[in-house]
Amino acid sequence: MALPGKENITTLNNGVEMPLLGLGVYDMHGAEARNAVIHAFEVGYRLIDTAALYGNEKEIGEAIKASGLPRHEMFITTKVHNGDQGFESTLKAYETSRKKLGIDQVDLYLVHWPVRGKRKDTWKALEKLYHEKQVKAIGVANYLIPFLDELETYANEEPALNQVEFSPYLFLEDLLNYCRERKIQLQSYTPLVRGQKFKDPKLLSLAHKYGKTPAQIILRWNIQLGVSTIPKTASPARLKENFDVFDFSLTNDDVQALNQFNEDYRVVDNPLDYF
Ligand SMILES: NC(=O)c1ccc[n+]([C@@H]2O[C@H](COP(=O)([O-])OP(=O)(O)OC[C@H]3O[C@@H](n4cnc5c(N)ncnc54)[C@H](OP(=O)(O)O)[C@@H]3O)[C@@H](O)[C@H]2O)c1
């Protein structure tokens, strides 16, 4: 892969390279989604995180084309919708997503949510797609430790990545260590807590210290932990702001301080409620 920006690159457990920082496109539709992705590519983003559920794969595909970038310079993730989980239905859903995106091969295909009664069959379908080289890498989302332990009992392939809600206010240290030990790349969704903690004086004080914004402090914390992250914004100014995190470093003490912000604060449902 010819992805620019060394500090923004991680190598997955199957040798595939992926940017650490990308753009999440949840809740963007039509021209807004298309323009946000085109703009993101101009800013330097190369990782785009979508899902069948978001209803914008077609627009992401249009942006991929319009960007004029070589396909190998970008990394596209999408996910199988809960209603499509199961073996045959996942295979079908993959093909639908791939066609909407207008690409030959999705870089990373994820199980969107650990759906009770479907997890094994869905994973087997992802393994088939991977073995047939229809996708470059496969992974999961919302798999907290009990789901990963369960997956170990039926998986032939280790997930390359686990995308979960994760932020200084939801610091899942055990999961981070579990994934590090097994070489599963952790990726944080809702990393900015949808802005709900930007007025926290502890975070504002770090922002002031580094001359950066609260969003940049949180994103930089992810990068220094080796956690991939996919903040969402459709605003050209915030796209730039969120990508401008490679010109400074937090001290180890400040990384530790951010780890201590934990409040077990969730924006999205706790997946364990669905075990
Ligand atoms: N796998 C899953 O189950 C799952 C679940 C949730 C999310 N995700 C993924 O994770 C991505 C990100 O999560 P999210 O969209 O839930 O939340 P988020 O990235 O934490 O926050 C997005 C919100 O913060 C605002 N924002 C972004 N950058 C900002 C900045 N620099 N300053 C101030 N406000 C800013 C955005 O508004 P504007 O757009 O107006 O800038 C938007 O309202 C999603 O897009 C999706 O790809 C996955």
Side-chain angles (χ1 to χ4, degrees):
M1 170 161 287
L3 291 168
K6 263 196 187 149
E7 209 196 348
N8 191 17
I9 295 293
T10 182
T11 303
L12 303 177
N13 58 18
N14 65 350
V16 168
E17 290 187 335
M18 185 192 85
L20 277 174
L21 175 62
L23 176 70
V25 297
Y26 170 64
D27 207 20
M28 289 188 204
H29 301 282
E32 187 190 40
R34 189 168 46 249
N35 291 337
V37 174
I38 290 172
H39 199 84
F41 283 137
E42 284 166 9
V43 168
Y45 290 79
R46 292 295 179 266
L47 161 62
I48 306 295
D49 178 82
T50 185
L53 175 72
Y54 305 165
N56 57 20
E57 289 170 310
K58 188 173 141 280
E59 287 77 10
I60 307 311
E62 289 164 3
I64 291 170
K65 242 190 190 155
S67 74
L69 286 170
R71 175 67 185 93
H72 64 273
E73 281 193 14
M74 52 179 87
F75 191 98
I76 309 298
T77 303
T78 192
K79 318 181 188 86
V80 56
H81 186 281
N82 295 355
D84 288 328
Q85 290 201 30
F87 189 78
E88 291 298 337
S89 43
T90 294
L91 297 177
K92 223 171 130 193
Y94 172 75
E95 192 52 17
T96 303
S97 286
R98 188 191 67 72
K99 281 191 180 144
K100 282 188 181 165
L101 287 162
I103 56 183
D104 294 336
Q105 189 188 34
V106 168
D107 294 289
L108 177 63
Y109 198 46
L110 301 181
V111 181
H112 201 144
W113 189 268
V115 174
R116 196 179 289 145
K118 302 277 184 171
R119 298 194 277 269
K120 180 174 175 185
D121 287 347
T122 304
W123 186 250
K124 291 292 152 191
L126 263 64
E127 287 184 339
K128 179 176 161 69
L129 292 168
Y130 179 63
H131 291 148
E132 290 176 352
K133 298 194 173 19
Q134 295 198 57
V135 288
K136 276 203 183 140
I138 52 174
V140 291
N142 295 295
Y143 274 51
L144 300 181
I145 290 173
F147 296 107
L148 291 172
D149 280 341
E150 181 197 68
L151 186 134
E152 292 275 322
T153 67
Y154 57 75
N156 291 322
E157 296 292 338
E158 190 85 273
L161 180 144
N162 185 17
Q163 180 186 109
V164 295
E165 183 171 359
F166 182 93
S167 77
Y169 302 91
L170 180 64
F171 180 54
L172 304 176
E173 191 169 19
D174 290 348
L175 181 67
L176 178 61
N177 289 332
Y178 183 110
C179 287
R180 279 178 175 159
E181 277 163 24
R182 286 164 181 75
K183 304 211 178 334
I184 300 170
Q185 174 67 54
L186 197 70
Q187 184 172 64
S188 63
Y189 76 65
T190 318
L192 304 178
V193 204
R194 298 200 181 142
Q196 291 170 22
K197 297 289 181 182
F198 284 171
K199 293 202 171 117
D200 175 8
K202 301 188 298 300
L203 182 59
L204 283 170
S205 150
L206 283 175
H208 181 73
K209 173 175 171 183
Y210 289 93
K212 288 284 180 179
T213 66
Q216 289 170 328
I217 296 293
I218 292 180
L219 297 173
R220 182 69 208 179
W221 172 78
N222 277 270
I223 301 292
Q224 287 186 222
L225 289 177
V227 173
S228 172
T229 186
I230 46 170
K232 175 256 168 183
T233 182
S235 138
R238 289 193 282 278
L239 276 167
K240 248 183 145 174
E241 173 187 333
N242 294 349
F243 202 70
D244 184 18
V245 295
F246 296 102
D247 64 345
F248 78 110
S249 287
L250 300 166
T251 65
N252 285 339
D253 284 353
D254 287 336
V255 170
Q256 293 300 324
L258 281 151
N259 296 351
Q260 303 300 319
F261 284 16
N262 181 46
E263 301 171 0
D264 296 330
Y265 186 90
R266 287 182 181 279
V267 175
V268 177
D269 288 354
N270 187 337
L272 287 179
D273 294 343
Y274 299 80
F275 194 75

